[in-house]
Amino acid sequence: MAILVCGGAGYIGSHAVHQLVERGEDVVIIDNLQTGHRGALNPAAKFYEGDIRDPKALDKVFMENRIEAVVHFAANSLVGESVEKPLLYFNNNVYGMQVLLEAMVRHHVGAIVFSSTAAVYGEPKRIPILEDDETNPTNPYGETKRTMEKMMKWVSRANGIRYVSLRYFNAAGALEDGSIGEAHTTETHLIPLILQVPLGKRDHITVFGTDYATPDGTCLRDYIHVIDLADAHLLAIDYLRKGGESDVFNLGNGHGFSVREMIETAKNVTGKAIKVEYGGRRAGDPAQLIASSEKARKVLGWNPHYADVAKIIGTAWTWHKKHPNGYAD
Ligand code: UDP
């Protein structure tokens, strides 16, 4: 039996495929390569170029392979873009999930591990954030992911599909050998943008807001290594294989690092000067997002290995140095 990875050519998807293949799983990927990269595809996985919104493409995959479970990463994931183009996000993310679940029902596939996000919480009422805290997304990206979770909940009750939803905090880093990593056509994430300065691709990094109610006035985020995230998917598959009930888990390290601390750490890791400018707040950025991942540790047995942000930034630096132009190199 195989694991179907939807979006296996993307950043987190390609790392999850790597870990699945390392463990000896049979892996099938479907990806429309809109934001994913051909160069990120694992040669040990069987690849279908196709869109999850196309029921015929899904039927072909489910008919040609014996799929045991689906791991679903195929979605648009940029907060700013989602504010400008909400319907793009509702179409690809929410409608995509509907078509995928319909295909799973048609083909009697009963388990799904879903890529969710801390953005489902919106502005948190308390820190660290727990899974049953209120969800009140402040942007369409978070709204679509929350809607996808709700869709799974009702489908699980009606059709018996069991799901695990993994709410990632700030995914970062790359596979240690630098062979796969983060490559977005429009980069908006802090660590890749910081590293573009020592790479000579950007003159400076702009800090978005210095007047937050945090120790140094800049936002605190919980950075979690992409391989630790990937490993949580393997544990979630094991959990569902053992008959575990549908559930939701936060994935983070449980420590907040400020934007200033991240820049200082990047200076140390790269050994290069990084020019900094200070700008206003970016709309929709909560002051702090820090996870409690106790539930994932306890129930899934998850034990993240990269608690040190210098190590996380170090793996990203290895990837970006080797591939300054992403998968074009
Ligand atoms: N950030 C920043 N400058 C940038 C990009 C991001 O100061 O050029 C800040 C952003 O305001 C947030 C943190 O870095 O506080 C992490 O942002 P990112 O977009 O990486 O992830 P998010 O937390 O929005 O998912």
Side-chain angles (χ1 to χ4, degrees):
M1 298 282 275
I3 305 293
L4 173 63
V5 180
C6 302
Y11 171 41
I12 304 172
S14 60
H15 288 80
V17 169
H18 177 271
Q19 296 304 88
L20 284 164
V21 166
E22 284 284 293
R23 185 165 94 160
E25 301 273 0
D26 259 346
V27 180
V28 177
I29 296 173
I30 181 166
D31 197 302
N32 64 8
L33 298 181
Q34 240 168 50
T35 52
H37 305 273
R38 202 172 284 280
L41 288 169
N42 191 303
K46 187 169 170 186
F47 174 57
Y48 290 82
E49 185 171 348
D51 196 301
I52 56 158
R53 290 164 295 184
D54 175 0
K56 288 205 176 71
L58 289 178
D59 280 343
K60 186 172 158 64
V61 173
F62 283 113
M63 281 185 310
E64 290 183 358
N65 303 278
R66 289 182 62 221
I67 302 296
E68 174 192 1
V70 173
V71 186
H72 180 24
F73 299 98
N76 290 104
S77 62
L78 300 179
V79 170
E81 183 185 55
S82 81
V83 175
E84 281 162 28
K85 300 176 185 165
L87 293 174
L88 173 82
Y89 277 67
F90 279 91
N91 183 278
N92 195 27
N93 296 5
V94 177
Y95 177 63
M97 176 64 108
Q98 179 186 333
V99 177
L100 175 62
L101 290 171
E102 284 167 351
M104 289 176 66
V105 171
R106 260 196 319 281
H107 295 276
H108 311 289
V109 176
I112 178 167
V113 178
F114 173 58
S115 165
S116 189
T117 167
V120 299
Y121 294 108
E123 187 72 48
K125 295 239 162 54
R126 63 172 172 181
I127 294 291
I129 302 171
L130 289 164
E131 286 82 353
D132 50 11
D133 284 355
E134 193 185 322
T135 54
N136 195 7
T138 51
N139 56 64
Y141 166 62
E143 193 80 67
T144 59
K145 288 277 175 165
R146 184 70 188 112
T147 307
M148 293 157 88
E149 287 185 341
K150 289 182 178 173
M151 200 187 288
M152 288 191 299
K153 181 184 86 179
W154 294 110
V155 172
S156 76
R157 292 189 189 176
N159 303 89
I161 290 177
R162 286 172 305 124
Y163 67 90
V164 166
S165 183
L166 300 174
R167 293 177 177 165
Y168 318 149
F169 282 63
N170 287 61
L175 191 63
E176 287 203 12
D177 68 5
S179 59
I180 50 174
E182 186 167 12
H184 298 112
T185 321
T186 319
E187 193 49 78
T188 64
H189 294 110
L190 181 66
I191 295 174
L193 287 176
I194 293 176
L195 295 178
Q196 283 180 6
V197 182
L199 280 173
K201 299 188 69 181
R202 171 177 294 271
D203 171 65
H204 63 272
I205 179 77
T206 303
V207 174
F208 295 150
T210 52
D211 59 349
Y212 285 96
T214 58
D216 71 13
T218 67
C219 291
L220 300 178
R221 291 291 180 274
D222 184 340
Y223 295 88
I224 181 76
H225 196 271
V226 65
I227 289 293
D228 284 328
L229 287 183
D231 285 340
H233 295 74
L234 276 64
L235 293 168
I237 292 169
D238 294 342
Y239 168 85
L240 291 171
R241 274 180 178 152
K242 282 185 259 167
E245 283 180 18
S246 295
D247 214 339
V248 176
F249 300 93
N250 286 340
L251 299 178
N253 270 313
H255 304 289
F257 290 90
S258 75
V259 176
R260 287 186 213 263
E261 285 172 326
M262 295 304 281
I263 296 169
E264 284 311 307
T265 309
K267 284 182 191 166
N268 293 335
V269 167
T270 61
K272 298 191 187 231
I274 296 176
K275 188 172 158 198
V276 182
E277 290 195 356
Y278 297 94
R281 293 183 177 195
R282 185 171 69 177
D285 273 344
Q288 17 180 343
L289 286 175
I290 300 165
S292 163
S293 303
E294 286 315 305
K295 187 174 166 189
R297 288 174 186 269
K298 222 196 223 146
V299 179
L300 299 178
W302 185 57
N303 181 23
H305 291 103
Y306 294 87
D308 179 3
V309 281
K311 191 85 203 281
I312 294 177
I313 295 176
T315 63
W317 180 232
T318 303
W319 152 256
H320 287 293
K321 264 192 309 191
K322 274 194 176 174
H323 303 266
N325 299 308
Y327 287 98
D329 297 311

